[in-house]
Amino acid sequence: MDEQEARFTRLYETYYRNVFGYVVLRVSSQAAEDLTGEVFTVAWRKIDEIPDQALPWLLGVARNLVRQSHGAAGRARGLVDRLAGLTTDADLHAWDVADHLIARDQALTALRALSAKEAEAVTLTAWHGLEPAEAARVAGCSRTAFVVRLHRGRRRLAKAIEASQESTARAHGRAPRPRVIQEKQ
């Protein structure tokens, strides 16, 4: 096996799950397998151009391929819709089923409150573990623009989760947690 084949094999073995995870949130699971394969086809063709920090480059390719595979309509909410179907049996055994469903519904409600760009910023950093500069390359924007999206997304996500928790508490006959108000001194 030559050096290029060895590098490609390492990239594939190391990052396939990350790339597939990114893609499956944006397209159907059947299409995700095909698109993930296309990402690695591009990687093979451009193996000498891939930087040492390969994950942001691979996710950038994945983002471009997903964008090409979809029209603009419906793409904005695709992430949230796909999250609804990602419950595994292992997840259900780890938690009480009712708690799991409530937490999932709260997360989905909170993610729906975000714009598509904010949701992408949050997931690239929180789920895929990218640093803002890497994630900005994937998102196709400047680091500054990405950090603004991330900040707004996190802020809106926190507010949406809080509102969802309060709504759930009221629906179950419990008083919502009191908000802590700090006085200015």
Side-chain angles (χ1 to χ4, degrees):
M1 184 182 297
D2 71 0
E3 187 177 325
Q4 288 179 327
E5 287 180 41
R7 181 163 191 235
F8 177 79
T9 301
R10 282 192 309 274
L11 287 173
Y12 185 86
E13 290 173 351
T14 303
Y15 297 116
Y16 179 86
R17 294 182 74 139
N18 298 84
V19 173
F20 180 79
Y22 178 85
V23 173
V24 78
L25 292 174
R26 288 153 178 83
V27 299
S28 70
S29 57
Q30 296 84 5
E33 290 183 29
D34 292 340
L35 282 172
T36 302
E38 287 183 47
V39 169
F40 285 97
T41 299
V42 171
W44 174 250
R45 285 195 315 259
K46 298 185 176 196
I47 192 71
D48 294 328
E49 299 174 30
I50 301 174
D52 291 338
Q53 294 293 322
L55 184 59
W57 188 91
L58 291 168
L59 293 179
V61 171
R63 182 177 192 268
N64 290 335
L65 290 172
V66 166
R67 190 174 25 186
Q68 290 171 7
S69 73
H70 284 292
R75 189 173 66 235
R77 292 288 111 198
L79 170 66
V80 174
D81 294 340
R82 302 257 171 351
L83 286 173
L86 293 180
T87 302
T88 65
D89 290 338
D91 292 335
L92 293 176
H93 294 304
W95 298 10
D96 176 45
V97 173
D99 289 342
H100 174 75
L101 292 175
I102 290 170
R104 186 182 82 172
D105 286 345
Q106 289 173 341
L108 291 172
T109 300
L111 280 171
R112 282 187 189 101
L114 303 181
S115 72
K117 290 180 179 183
E118 291 168 346
E120 180 179 41
V122 170
T123 59
L124 283 172
T125 55
W127 291 355
H128 296 288
L130 298 182
E131 295 296 321
E134 298 169 324
R137 277 184 263 142
V138 173
C141 64
S142 70
R143 183 185 186 286
T144 303
F146 183 84
V147 170
V148 169
R149 287 179 194 172
L150 181 60
H151 174 72
R152 288 178 180 161
R154 285 177 175 165
R155 188 179 65 223
R156 287 184 181 149
L157 188 63
K159 287 179 183 178
I161 288 173
E162 182 179 318
S164 179
Q165 288 173 339
E166 289 175 2
S167 175
T168 301
R170 276 190 234 103
H172 292 279
R174 297 187 301 256
R177 290 184 300 179
R179 295 184 187 185
V180 178
I181 300 173
Q182 297 178 343
E183 294 182 18
K184 293 183 180 179
Q185 296 181 356

